[in-house]
Amino acid sequence: MRANDVLGLIYSNSHDACISELTARRTMGSVPFGGRYRLIDFVLSGFVNCGMSKVGVITNRNFRSLMDHLGSGRPWDLSRKRDGLFMLPPFNLGEADGNGDRIGSLNRIMDFISGSSQEYILICDTNTIYNMDFSELFDFHTQRGADITVVTKYGKLPGLKNTMVFDCDENGLVKSVAISPKTDNEVLYSINTILMRKSLLERLIGDAESFSYESFEKSIIQKNLSRFNICCFKLSGFCGTVDSLVSYFNINMELLSLKVKRNLFNEDRPIFTKIRNDMPVIYGLGCKVSDSLISDGCIIEGTVERCVLSRGVRIGKGAVVKNCILMQDTYVGDNCELSYVITDKSVVITPQKALRGVKTYPIYIGKSIII
Amino acid sequence: MPKKNECIAMLLAGGQGSRLGVLTNNIAKPAVPYGGKYRIIDFPLSNCVNSGIYTVGILTQYQPLELNDYIGNGHPWDLDRAQGGVHILSPYQQIKGTQWYKGTANAIYQNINFIERYSPEYVAILSGDHIYKMDYSKMLQYHKDKDAACTIAMLEVPWEEASRFGLMFVDEDGAITDFEEKPKNPRSNKASMGVYMFTWEKLRRYLIEDEKREDSSNDFGKDVIPYMHKAGEKMYAFPFSGYWKDVGTIDSLWEANLDLLNPKANIDLSDSSWKIYGRSPVTSPQYVSNDAVLQNSIVAEGCTIEGSIEYSILFSNVNVEKGAVVEYSIVMPGTTIKSGAVVQYAIVAENAVIGRDALIGENPQKTGDIKEWGVTVVGNGVKVGDKARVKAKSMISDDVKEGDAV
């Protein structure tokens, strides 16, 4: 299977509701992450790094920020004459729930899918952060002679609706599927990255439409276990699934481990993102910075500990910021004290303010709010 | 046929910059890294687009590979355009024979055809080795208001430095009355910044005449401008105030970088209304560990900082290991400084490796003879062995073995 024979499809609104604060005005795909990225950068870069050349981004709602981020697809080298990046907005806003509705979304873009020359289709969500070599998945799919391959991760089940949990043999062949079972054990769960032939997807979606099936997981995967050869590909390496504001916070913080950082950002498979042309970080006299990820355009004059700072953040003199995620252009005034706070873009915290969240409940401050 | 442009810019980027030594062994001076993520040429190019000049010819001659690659189609500066945009102009074969660019004026002379394609009324001649932020549209307006044939950007420099520059004498109206090239005893402190605005019709005529004269060195400063002045053309000086620095030498390059850390130096690159654009590397955010100390420094993305950094500029993907110290230095992309190494008052070029406990450069206050002191330079890709020592003012382009001193 050649990589440019695989059409990539990305659900940019996947599980929007689980971090409703951050997705009130944007898609899951355009949620800022890791300082300089948006969540969609990870799968999109993965697609490009393995040689895929055509990607459709399915959007159901709130996609202005996503369009602004993706533009013509140039940072991912997807601004092309042949193939490239395609935005797939809804035809009718009313029918989209922006959350599940995988079948409906696919059905609405059947023209796009059928009109593509690619033989295979790879479908991804955006709420999972990982940097995988997709060509390994393609080889696995071919070697196993699979009809459908689902990428899975072994670990604690994320608290998301309709998550498939698999039981499979040593070759990865699925024996049974449970959907969001109640369990505290570590399980093999789907991160909703699914590979199959285009012709098969067309048939399945056609069937689902005629029988009014609604659930991709139940009606397409669970129901067809005996009919098709469905396999699980186990993801190794770092993988974080956002299922709540707390997990979003924790996954950001996990990047502060050099091991995780080197796994997620490796030279062979760089993560591309929109360029902002900020100047490099300026560290002022008297600043103290430790154990943090800092992006270009920041000016730091205070104390920063265990933080992830996006581009253009300013920390005033005497300010102490600990365990925080500060998004683009957040301004923290002199002598402020912040701990366990997530600020959205362009938040201004005027001098001498103290804000304190706790590890299990970080405070979230919405876009452009002035405190 | 391209659309008519009122004003286009020609950027002189062919110079070797021999005074930058090993830093320009393989790259032209305008491609030398500056300020943590830029290259020198980003400044005139960004000034052009910020001033509304969208047709730029870049004249290259010396080691153009890296520069050509960096400019590419001009997209980082928004200069990938259907009309105009950025063009690399190298010397080429002509029916009458092949010629290198003999001088700055000759380089423009050889590209008269390029300029004529856009039928401009005005042509800005810029050089690719200055760090400054300037609105050329204001200079153009001044040029038009004065109905000048040539306008030269002028900066008042401290009297004690004036003898290093080409100086101008200016009357109350701003008209240039006389020139003086690097005099021993300066009578003026109004220096030319090497930024010229010409009325194209006039410049064209003088370039052709200059080419005919056999005694001419075909240089703007030495030949064309004095000649125009003698011929009685209207020459004006456009006063500029703000940061401007020629980064032609190791010392000035080092100073110009550290000026970014000096609030009094009046150069602010974080100003979003006058952004300096450049080709950004694809890399991760920078990581600052528990052991790191960072004071008054500029650090680019992709760096991993576990050591101590003071008064320094670090470019992308630099690794500073635990216990390493970097002070008053410039470290270019991809370099690794291993644990225990001390780098001070130095410029370390791209992809170098400084071994454990190595010592690079010296503090001038701790040097015996201050006249012997200078900024230390470690060239591109050089590997300095563990415990090796590179003295003040040394400039190295070969690897240094473990324990050696150079």
Side-chain angles (χ1 to χ4, degrees), chain B residues 242-314:
Chain B
Y243 186 88
W244 177 85
K245 194 144 203 153
D246 181 336
V247 284
T249 63
I250 293 292
D251 286 351
S252 63
L253 179 66
W254 180 77
E255 274 170 34
N257 272 286
L258 293 191
D259 278 347
L260 289 171
L261 301 172
N262 179 359
K264 287 181 194 144
N266 194 20
I267 177 147
D268 175 15
L269 302 184
S270 60
D271 174 11
S272 61
S273 68
W274 202 269
K275 268 196 179 181
I276 303 300
Y277 300 95
R279 202 173 278 282
S280 293
V282 174
T283 181
S284 55
Q286 59 178 269
Y287 173 71
V288 179
S289 87
N290 269 336
D291 307 297
V293 177
L294 280 152
Q295 288 294 302
N296 205 24
S297 292
I298 287 180
V299 181
E301 287 180 326
C303 288
T304 304
I305 311 292
E306 297 177 273
S308 158
I309 317 285
E310 279 183 42
Y311 292 92
S312 294
I313 312 275
L314 269 57

Side-chain angles (χ1 to χ4, degrees), chain B residues 10-245:
Chain B
M10 299 294 274
L11 181 50
L12 299 160
Q16 180 189 351
S18 55
R19 287 174 301 162
L20 288 178
V22 297
L23 294 180
T24 53
N25 274 358
N26 303 308
I27 55 172
K29 183 155 75 165
V32 168
Y34 169 80
K37 72 183 295 189
Y38 310 96
R39 295 189 189 239
I40 299 169
I41 200 169
D42 290 336
F43 286 79
L45 273 183
S46 302
N47 285 340
C48 280
V49 294
N50 287 334
S51 306
I53 298 175
Y54 302 118
T55 304
V56 184
I58 300 181
L59 299 127
T60 62
Q61 176 154 289
Y62 174 78
Q63 288 283 12
L65 176 68
E66 183 127 350
L67 189 60
N68 291 355
D69 196 40
Y70 184 68
I71 300 296
N73 65 356
H75 175 253
W77 303 269
D78 251 354
L79 286 171
D80 54 332
R81 291 178 180 242
Q83 300 282 346
V86 71
H87 298 260
I88 301 270
L89 304 167
S90 306
Y92 54 96
Q93 243 179 359
Q94 304 179 37
I95 196 116
K96 285 174 275 178
T98 310
Q99 262 190 352
W100 292 104
Y101 294 151
K102 290 183 287 178
T104 50
N106 176 258
I108 305 295
Y109 171 82
Q110 290 200 37
N111 288 291
I112 286 181
N113 287 342
F114 168 79
I115 298 172
E116 298 271 85
R117 282 163 65 86
Y118 299 95
S119 5
E121 281 166 60
Y122 307 99
V123 174
I125 307 287
L126 313 169
S127 68
D129 42 13
H130 299 152
I131 303 292
Y132 64 113
K133 298 199 290 184
M134 180 175 179
D135 190 343
Y136 302 136
S137 67
K138 286 188 183 149
M139 185 172 177
L140 178 61
Q141 191 56 47
Y142 181 87
H143 181 85
K144 287 198 248 178
D145 291 347
K146 299 291 182 189
D147 194 26
C150 169
T151 300
I152 303 174
M154 170 192 82
L155 180 77
E156 290 194 16
V157 295
W159 280 96
E160 60 271 21
E161 289 174 25
S163 62
R164 284 168 33 208
F165 297 95
L167 302 175
M168 299 186 281
F169 297 87
V170 176
D171 73 10
E172 285 153 14
D173 185 38
I176 299 169
T177 56
D178 203 0
F179 294 96
E180 213 171 24
E181 189 69 21
K182 297 178 186 165
K184 276 205 182 114
N185 301 306
R187 294 175 293 128
S188 163
N189 69 336
K190 295 180 166 62
S192 160
M193 295 164 56
V195 175
Y196 309 109
M197 185 69 72
F198 287 98
T199 300
W200 172 236
E201 182 203 332
K202 301 270 187 189
L203 176 62
R204 186 177 190 279
R205 200 168 82 221
Y206 283 98
L207 285 175
I208 294 169
E209 280 177 27
D210 179 66
E211 192 60 23
K212 283 184 195 146
R213 285 188 296 137
E214 287 195 353
D215 60 334
S216 172
S217 56
N218 307 115
D219 185 87
F220 272 102
K222 287 193 199 111
D223 306 291
V224 175
I225 287 175
Y227 192 74
M228 282 179 83
H229 181 61
K230 247 182 254 164
E233 293 292 351
K234 284 169 102 175
M235 318 277 281
Y236 276 83
F238 174 70
F240 173 81
S241 61
Y243 186 88
W244 177 85
K245 194 144 203 153

Side-chain angles (χ1 to χ4, degrees), chain A residues 62 74 93 111 121 153 167 182 223-224 227 230 235 250 269 273 280 295 324 371:
Chain A
N62 287 355
R74 184 154 204 153
L93 269 167
D111 288 350
I121 294 224
K153 177 75 189 168
D167 179 25
K182 286 209 163 45
K223 202 173 186 139
N224 287 318
R227 238 172 112 200
I230 300 178
L235 192 65
N250 290 339
R269 297 191 302 274
T273 190
S295 312
C324 291
I371 293 183

